[in-house]
């Protein structure tokens, strides 16, 4: 097999190398998957530098999100959910490779009509957006939703989910191209969050200038967003892509009766496993209804593991939109 192996922490994605390694031998409770596409994530950039909260013991293979074909099923399972040859997507350490081992709960079936590239970026961003807006914010038809970094992977997922549930979406982004993308995925209005006074612009868009009902924030923009959040509004904190942990003006939160809630999708598996299935059922229904589509970055192609460093570099420089996904060619014996 071939893989992006990390033997020591690197300065950045430009230092990543592809190497030949022995084929994987799955444990008795894992599937062996032939990877056909691997999606990039910001946490990959932290992990390769040794700065993520989950650091495998060196050496390890980078990447986490993938889509591919089942090569073998768990030896310990008499009735596995997936069979050899099934198309699956999932998340497991070692996604930047031609093979990966994954437990059953970390895998999902590729939706009908979807390709590997589209499916590879589903496992993290889609359920994050759904859980944040539907479980935590409890958006309702007719509400106004402000989505920050709306042209990013999780942002585009949130835009589609909010629209599917009947909300009016105000999307923030930082470039003309990203405004276009947000509109293509359903946003009703776009705002440049680099512009001074953007919060006032958002507020003026809403009926009687009351402000938005819900804010979806994967960036770290709670303080400014408080200015354009309606009385009784809800702000869901999904991440801190800007790199700063905010100190929030709690007096504004109190005076406007605003609810702040955090969303860490990864913790649902342990703390609320019954809701994980509910989220995926909701997402697959939206996909079936053609209200949710893949968010693959298509302005350029990434093909081969050698382009992982390029994809991550562009992601880090905020040069991509949606999910930057790398196509992973397979040797003839792995093509099913």
């Amino acid at each position: 097999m071939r893989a992006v192996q990390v033997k020591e922490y690197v300065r950045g994605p430009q230092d990543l190398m592809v190497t030949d390694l022995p084929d994987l031998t799955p444990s008795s409770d894992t599937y062996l998957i032939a990877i056909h596409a691997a999606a990039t994530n910001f946490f990959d950039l932290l992990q390769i530098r040794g700065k993520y909260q989950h650091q495998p013991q060196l050496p390890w293979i980078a990447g986490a999100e993938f889509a591919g074909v089942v090569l073998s099923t768990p030896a310990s399972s008499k009735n596995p959910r997936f069979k050899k040859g099934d198309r699956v997507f999932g998340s497991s350490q070692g996604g930047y490779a031609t093979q990966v081992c994954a437990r059953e709960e970390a895998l999902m079936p590729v939706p009908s009509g979807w390709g590997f590239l589209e499916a590879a970026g589903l496992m993290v961003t889609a359920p994050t957006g759904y859980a944040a807006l539907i479980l935590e914010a409890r958006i309702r038809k007719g509400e106004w939703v402000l989505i920050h970094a709306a042209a990013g992977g999780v942002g585009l997922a949130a835009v589609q989910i909010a629209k599917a549930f009947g909300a009016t979406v105000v999307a923030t982004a930082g470039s003309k191209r990203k405004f276009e993308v947000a509109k293509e995925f359903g946003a009703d209005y776009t705002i440049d969050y680099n512009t001074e006074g953007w919060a006032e612009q958002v507020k003026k868009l809403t009926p009687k200038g009351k402000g938005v009902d819900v804010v979806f924030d994967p960036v770290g923009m709670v303080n400014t967003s408080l200015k354009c959040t309606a009385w009784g509004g809800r702000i869901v904190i999904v991440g801190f892509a800007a790199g700063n942990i905010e100190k929030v003006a709690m007096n504004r939160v109190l005076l406007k009766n605003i609810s702040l809630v955090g969303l860490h999708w990864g913790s649902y598996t342990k703390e609320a496993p019954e809701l994980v299935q509910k989220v995926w059922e909701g997402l697959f229904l939206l996909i079936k209804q053609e209200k949710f589509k893949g968010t693959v970055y298509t302005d350029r192609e990434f093909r081969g593991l050698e382009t992982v460093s390029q994809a991550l570099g562009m992601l880090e420089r905020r040069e991509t939109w949606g999910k930057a996904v790398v196509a992973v060619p397979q040797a003839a014996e792995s093509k099913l």
Side-chain angles (χ1 to χ4, degrees):
M1 65 174 276
R2 305 182 73 236
V4 177
Q5 188 183 50
V6 178
K7 296 180 180 179
E8 60 183 10
Y9 298 130
V10 298
R11 293 172 300 167
Q14 71 278 2
D15 296 327
L16 295 174
M17 301 289 289
V18 181
T19 186
D20 291 314
L21 294 170
D23 284 350
L24 297 176
T25 301
S27 61
S28 63
D29 62 348
T30 61
Y31 289 81
L32 180 62
I33 312 295
I35 295 178
H36 287 257
T40 59
N41 287 284
F42 275 105
F43 61 75
D44 295 333
L45 291 162
L46 295 174
Q47 197 176 52
I48 62 175
R49 293 180 168 102
K51 296 182 179 180
Y52 193 50
Q53 57 260 41
H54 305 298
Q55 292 293 148
Q57 185 175 351
L58 294 166
W60 47 270
I61 298 171
E65 269 191 302
F66 58 85
V69 174
V70 174
L71 294 178
S72 68
T73 60
S76 62
S77 177
K78 294 181 179 180
N79 186 30
R81 179 183 181 187
F82 305 105
K83 64 182 184 298
K84 184 177 179 179
D86 280 354
R87 301 163 73 243
V88 296
F89 68 92
S91 180
S92 186
Q93 186 66 54
Y96 296 148
T98 54
Q99 295 180 354
V100 70
C101 292
R103 297 173 65 89
E104 189 163 283
E105 60 267 25
L107 298 172
M108 289 286 169
V110 173
S112 176
W114 281 48
F116 291 120
L117 289 177
E118 292 79 15
L122 264 179
M123 199 68 178
V124 175
T125 56
T128 295
Y130 193 98
L133 292 175
I134 308 308
L135 298 187
E136 302 296 349
R138 304 179 304 283
I139 63 170
R140 297 181 290 272
K141 184 177 180 179
E143 289 192 314
W144 284 66
V145 179
L146 173 63
I147 298 174
H148 288 307
V154 71
L156 289 179
V159 168
Q160 295 182 85
I161 292 162
K163 289 302 298 178
F165 280 81
T168 298
V169 172
V170 181
T172 69
S175 72
K176 180 181 178 181
R177 177 62 180 133
K178 291 182 178 181
F179 298 153
E180 293 172 350
V181 170
K183 283 286 188 73
E184 288 171 10
F185 279 79
D188 298 285
Y189 303 94
T190 55
I191 296 288
D192 187 344
Y193 54 34
N194 294 314
T195 303
E196 186 175 350
W198 64 260
E200 191 58 34
Q201 294 179 44
V202 171
K203 196 172 181 181
K204 287 180 180 178
L205 290 173
T206 62
K208 298 182 180 180
K210 72 180 181 67
V212 296
D213 302 290
V214 173
V215 177
F216 179 89
D217 183 16
V219 180
M221 301 176 70
V222 172
N223 268 321
T224 311
S225 299
L226 286 169
K227 298 177 182 179
C228 59
T229 303
W231 188 93
R234 294 94 73 199
I235 298 178
V236 188
I237 302 155
V238 179
F240 310 98
N244 298 316
I245 306 298
E246 292 184 278
K247 293 182 178 180
V248 178
M250 297 305 291
N251 59 320
R252 290 181 180 170
V253 175
L254 183 151
L255 292 172
K256 298 179 76 172
N257 276 41
I258 291 172
S259 299
L260 301 180
V261 60
L263 187 285
H264 178 220
W265 173 245
S267 65
Y268 271 68
T269 302
K270 179 182 178 181
E271 303 295 341
E274 71 283 357
L275 294 178
V276 173
Q277 182 178 352
K278 180 179 179 181
V279 167
W280 280 112
E281 287 174 354
L283 282 168
F284 280 121
L285 178 60
L286 293 184
I287 290 170
K288 184 178 180 180
Q289 295 172 338
E290 298 185 347
K291 294 180 179 180
F292 190 98
K293 61 183 180 179
T295 61
V296 182
Y297 174 72
T298 56
D299 290 356
R300 67 157 288 180
E301 181 185 50
F302 302 104
R303 184 169 181 80
L305 292 171
E306 290 79 7
T307 65
V308 166
S309 60
Q310 299 169 32
L312 283 173
M314 290 184 66
L315 177 67
E316 186 167 45
R317 295 189 297 272
R318 306 295 199 274
E319 294 172 359
T320 62
W321 51 262
K323 293 287 291 191
V325 181
V326 177
V328 182
Q330 282 286 323
E333 63 268 23
S334 295
K335 291 182 177 178
L336 300 177

